[in-house]
């Protein structure tokens, strides 16, 4: 069983270990751009959120109800009618149990309740399983960014 709780930005360091696993997952997944992920540093990435109005940010943790182990997280932000899920990660061994769907549904509802008419998420082109997951939630591809390598 899993439980979910929101935390303030001041406690975001709680996700560091999972964020590092997410970074490593993307580094290993990417055929061409793994170096972009290997050079990411948690504190630098998270500092980008410091400028957001804290009422325009939601950080949710998913925890194992039995032992309190952190098994997933989601961070979303909005600015006016534009909402964005910035990062989501669920531990590999509990994927498929509904944690990611629950996190996303909570964040989509929160964004809609805050007047967001456009909700987006950026996904690595090579992350096929995750793309299918987001499509199951109603997201559709809009643009494709290409980089010279």
């Amino acid at each position: 069983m899993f439980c979910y709780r929101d935390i303030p930005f001041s406690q975001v360091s709680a996700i560091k270990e999972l964020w590092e696993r997410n970074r490593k997952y993307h580094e290993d997944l990417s055929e061409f751009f793994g170096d972009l992920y290997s050079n990411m540093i948690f504190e630098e990435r998270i500092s980008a959120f410091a400028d957001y109005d804290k009422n325009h940010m939601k950080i949710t943790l998913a925890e194992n109800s039995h032992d309190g182990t952190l098994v997933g997280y989601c961070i979303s932000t909005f600015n006016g009618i534009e909402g964005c899920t910035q990062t989501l990660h669920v531990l590999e061994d509990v994927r498929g149990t509904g944690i990611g769907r629950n996190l996303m549904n909570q964040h989509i509802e929160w964004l809609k309740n805050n007047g967001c008419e456009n909700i987006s998420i950026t996904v690595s082109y090579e992350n096929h399983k995750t793309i299918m997951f987001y499509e199951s939630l109603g997201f559709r591809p809009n643009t494709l960014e290409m980089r010279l390598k």
Side-chain angles (χ1 to χ4, degrees):
M1 197 68 166
F2 305 101
C3 59
Y4 303 87
R5 67 181 172 99
D6 291 342
I7 61 169
F9 180 72
S10 62
Q11 295 176 17
V12 73
S13 62
I15 71 165
K16 183 174 182 176
E17 182 181 330
L18 278 183
W19 184 91
E20 289 290 348
R21 290 177 78 151
N22 191 26
R23 182 200 59 73
K24 180 70 172 144
Y25 169 81
H26 284 88
E27 179 183 349
D28 294 343
L29 177 73
S30 182
E31 179 181 354
F32 301 110
F33 298 104
D35 60 314
L36 295 177
Y37 298 102
S38 64
N39 294 326
M40 286 182 154
I41 298 169
F42 176 78
E43 289 77 12
E44 290 176 6
R45 172 66 174 115
I46 294 303
S47 71
F49 296 117
D51 294 336
Y52 278 92
D53 177 332
K54 301 313 176 251
N55 293 322
H56 293 182
M57 179 185 310
K58 180 177 179 69
I59 304 170
T60 307
L61 306 180
E63 299 170 317
N64 183 313
S65 299
H66 301 292
D67 61 12
T69 303
L70 188 61
V71 295
Y73 73 86
C74 187
I75 300 177
S76 294
T77 59
F78 72 91
N79 185 2
I81 63 170
E82 301 288 330
C84 182
T85 295
Q86 301 283 348
T87 179
L88 168 76
H89 187 70
V90 174
L91 285 177
E92 296 82 0
D93 60 342
V94 293
R95 288 184 186 157
T97 62
I99 295 169
R101 186 169 301 280
N102 285 335
L103 287 166
M104 283 301 298
N105 284 336
Q106 287 180 35
H107 281 243
I108 290 168
E109 181 179 344
W110 176 77
L111 290 166
K112 286 180 177 179
N113 287 341
N114 280 286
C116 294
E117 296 175 15
N118 301 309
I119 300 172
S120 64
I121 187 158
T122 300
V123 184
S124 169
Y125 177 75
E126 297 168 303
N127 200 347
H128 304 291
K129 288 182 182 179
T130 302
I131 291 169
M132 290 187 329
F133 166 71
Y134 290 125
E135 286 179 337
S136 77
L137 292 168
F139 288 88
R140 297 295 177 257
N142 182 23
T143 61
L144 173 64
E145 174 189 290
M146 298 184 77
R147 293 184 180 204
L148 187 61
K149 188 65 178 175

